[in-house]
Amino acid sequence: MKSFEYARPASLDEAFALLSENWGETEIMAGGTDLVTAMKQYVTEPNRVVSLRGVAPLRAINATDAAIEIGAMATLREVLRHDAVKAQFPAVVTAIQGIASPQMLSRGTIGGELCQRPRCWYFRTGHGLFAKENGEALVPAGDSRYHAIFGNQGEAHFVSPSSLGPVLVALGATLRIQKGADSRDVPADAFFQTPATEKDRETVLKPNEILTAIVLPVSGAKNATYEVRHRHGLDWPYTTASVSFVLDGGKAKNVRIALGHVAPTPWVAKEAQAALEGQEVTEATAAAAGAAAVAGATPFDKNGYKLQLVKTAVKRALLAATA
Amino acid sequence: MATPQWPKMEKRALLGKRISRLDGPVKATGQAKYAYDMNRPGMLYARCCFAPYGAMKINGIDASAAEKAPGVRAVLVEQNMIGDEVRYVGQILATVAADTEEQAHEALRLIKVDFERLDMVLDDMNPANATGKPSGKEEGTVDDAMAAAKVVSEGEYGIPVITHCCLEAHGQVSEFKDGEMTFWPSTQSVSAYAEGMDQSIEVEQSKIHVDCQYMGGGFGSKFSHDQWGVIGALLSKQTGRPVKLMLERDQELMVAGNRPSAFGKVRVAVSPEGKMTAIDADVWGTGGNGGYRMPPVPYVFEGIPNVRNKGQGIKTNRGSQRAWRAPSHPQGCFITMAAVEDAAAAAGIDALEFFKNNLDLTSRPEVYAEQLDIAAELIGYKTKAHLRGQGEGPVRRGIGISIHTWGGMGHPSNCDAIINPDGSVEIRLGTQDLGSGTRTVVGIVAAETYGLPLEAITVSMGNNKYPFSSASGGSTTVGGVSSSTRIACTNALNALLEVVAPRLGVAPEALEVAGGKIFESAKPGNSIAWKDACGLMGPNPITKQGANEQKASQDLKLIDAGVGGVQMADVSVDIETGVVTLNEMVAVQDCGLIVDLKTAESQVYGGLIMGITYALYEEALYNHKTGRMLNGDLEFYRLAGLKDIGQLKVHMMTTEKYDSRGVIGLGEPPVISPGAAISNAVANAAGVRVPHLPLTPERVIVALQKGGILV
Ligand SMILES: Cc1cc2nc3c(=O)[nH]c(=O)nc-3n(C[C@H](O)[C@H](O)[C@H](O)COP(=O)(O)OP(=O)(O)OC[C@H]3O[C@@H](n4cnc5c(N)ncnc54)[C@H](O)[C@@H]3O)c2cc1C
């Protein structure tokens, strides 16, 4: 790891003053569980690390009847244990429980979870975000078993690592971004982006912007997450599906289905949403939505198996939400 | 007079009981110091610059900028690499020693290597890449037997390269002072660690000191001092400072131990009576940059009358293979037992019945028959078993069987037993405790021999100043050290009995020890407490030697070789996701006389967990363009955790028949069968064979799709 300067501001104002306008010069640190690893891997080599652990207000969780507002620095465990979250959002609970390490839950934050960098093994061993060696893309002919099956026709072949990303997309959450005195709210599906160049990142955040809060609207919608995991301890899911819908006279309305670990961003399964909209949720309609979810997939040589996982994850998430 | 033979079962105070390991508390509380924990005054940290591509010609290495970097005290360039070829990623090109680990790291990035890329071979799944000389044999008339068979089953099987993945990386702290070199390495071979090193570091053998009290795993990868042992010593000599050089995880996984892969196409002929009559196996794999030995196929069922097998190695640009717990056996076992189970399924015969019906093709049919019955009982075979593919619903359950064997003869070992005038007892031997319980076993044997509690024994080991004991590998340690300790202790005891006999008014032959007393066998009331007895010795301790010489010890029935084991696995396969969950695993194992039932069972638990890991998760994956490991970390090089292993049941064979053979090694046997047993269970549940380990969702799904079970 390259030597760096460490700053621990006590307020957001101080923090903004310490952040550079250019990626790579400074990095924000929350729990550090991903950032420090990335620094050891020379994925990023900041001159200054700005910890947000001293900015107390960022850790608050406030629940009203209309929404739950979670500070970006709330730890995964704090979110997991929050009564309102438990009561309203099984989709969130399942996703956080999947990050099955006591250390990760107590140290990792919700903001860090959403902004963590891809785990693509080419990216993490020095081949850049677009996984190249001498200008040649490594994923198509290489070991693509954990890579994208959707949205992979450009240069980005990695998958978004966040488990909560698809959950927030399915739940229609908003993310609050602050820069100095300015603050803007961005819908979850617009927060994530597929980087256009090696220098871009996987969210719309600018280097000197801070994600301050996540706002979950309380709508009484049924919701659930299903994760296909092999190991039961700390590990990455192969594929996840998060769903949300309102039951209106026994029929599913406002169906939202988002997939994880299948694309460079959380992936909205539009065909699956359409397939279920207005239907009763049964084993058969859930399976049909699952089958529709793989529409438009373009797997590489070694990850075609993920199609089956998508079908199953969508079906099981829908059934779990109704249970 | 005491004799070295093991006491009769009913006369044992400690042998065979469940006894907690002596070093448990210091390990659990972090007081045990491993190589990495050794911190010496003024110590430097060394880090290796390694080759970034699997095949390169090195034209030059320029370390001048690194030498000037902050904190750097020395850079050692591997001069002999200049002009030479690199054959795998991880090969050392230079090493930096600096005041801090971070500085050493930073300096590595300043080393400039001038090189040309060369072609490399990484793919070991394609037999066409084989270059090695084929080995194999043909016995009987295979083709005729195939033609005459009721069923011929055919399958392809594969087990990839995995690594040793010791949680404690390879490496050492070395300190050169006053012309003497001290090493604190992580090693499986304390007594012989420095062998062959004196010339490279120019320090006489007698001035090299080695100390390794605790170890975080070796599994066959830590027999040698390795290149980094020499480098660390040279850096210490050069700087006059102690140097800590431990491999980092990526390099550890790439260069410090690979288990050869094995792929095979196998045909098995089954007669109308359900007997295997012929086997035809074509096997290949890679030992990386090292050699390749064909795994034994057929394994255990060596009596199959008609056998044709061929094995060939593929030299690849990956780190060299090293012995991995039971070298060749897990591979041979997996390929054979999977083919056997496929044959049973093809013939429509229940797997347990098929195994039993063919035991006369093995060299210990009675042992396996008895063990199969016990395992079947423990796993509930009767109620759970079904023919292949008879499961229903999305999650299907199945049972798999495998059997294995191992030698485990005690290795050459020397021991000093010391009885002090104050009654204290010390045992000294240059062996090592890899975490398996060697220290505890030595203590138990000594305590048993002297009729003392375990706490009364001081076990001194893990240092090359003590009598030579061989390297720990091949399950040879427990036999070696228990035999040498028993003999040494018996010799020392007899010397003590000579001293005590006049006091008790009998000949030494009339005396025995137990319960902290020395007494007359015929008249136990005529006794003296151990401590008082030792007080009669005068000022000098009694020191006697004992040596384990294999033939002599075997004649005394102190040790033996050759064991059998049976394992059964109960799994669930989610056929919609390909996820395999282990419900339960049963291991039934024979290892002769058991010194400590608890550490023996622990050894089997450990073997099962390691086996479950390679069955479900482990494989070394490589970047096809660079030859670097893609999963050179503990994130995607997955290991099983507690939640992944299901319920484990261990049954040790402890009856007189097994016990009377003496002590036999146990390190390797339990790790041999899990791959086969779990793969067979998955085939039984899913209705298709998943040809290659590990049994990951991607492989299971592809197999289910090919088998038409998933569309
Ligand atoms: C083996 C393993 C398995 C894992 N499995 C999962 C899994 O299944 N699902 C999953 O989701 N995660 C998983 N994780 C990752 C884990 O969840 C993340 O490391 C953790 O959530 C990151 O949180 P942190 O607070 O430590 O972030 P940090 O490491 O501090 O930060 C991560 C990134 O986010 C940026 N950042 C953090 N906070 C802010 C902010 N407020 N504003 C702007 N930028 C910010 C940082 O600059 C950095 O780039 C796994 C990790 C490991 C090692």
Side-chain angles (χ1 to χ4, degrees), chain A residues 199-253:
Chain A
K199 296 231 151 60
D200 293 314
R201 294 253 168 135
E202 308 83 50
T203 70
V204 298
L205 284 174
K206 302 258 161 22
N208 52 358
E209 288 183 330
I210 292 176
L211 171 65
T212 55
I214 291 91
V215 183
L216 286 165
V218 174
S219 66
K222 303 264 179 207
N223 62 86
T225 295
Y226 187 88
E227 303 191 327
V228 180
R229 287 180 177 272
H230 190 198
R231 281 205 55 225
H232 300 273
L234 183 65
D235 197 358
W236 297 95
Y238 276 76
T239 293
T240 72
S242 295
V243 303
S244 155
F245 53 84
V246 182
L247 274 187
D248 181 358
K251 305 268 161 78
K253 297 276 167 62

Side-chain angles (χ1 to χ4, degrees), chain B residues 120-121 244 256 389 507 510 606 615 654 698 704:
Chain B
M120 50 173 195
V121 177
K244 182 184 280 186
T654 52
E698 59 268 32
L704 287 166

Side-chain angles (χ1 to χ4, degrees), chain A residues 4 21 24 32 89 95 132 207 209 213 215 222 233 247 252 273 295 312:
Chain A
F4 60 91
E21 285 181 7
F89 299 114
K132 288 185 177 170
E209 288 183 330
V215 183
K222 303 264 179 207
L247 274 187
Q273 293 178 168
T312 307

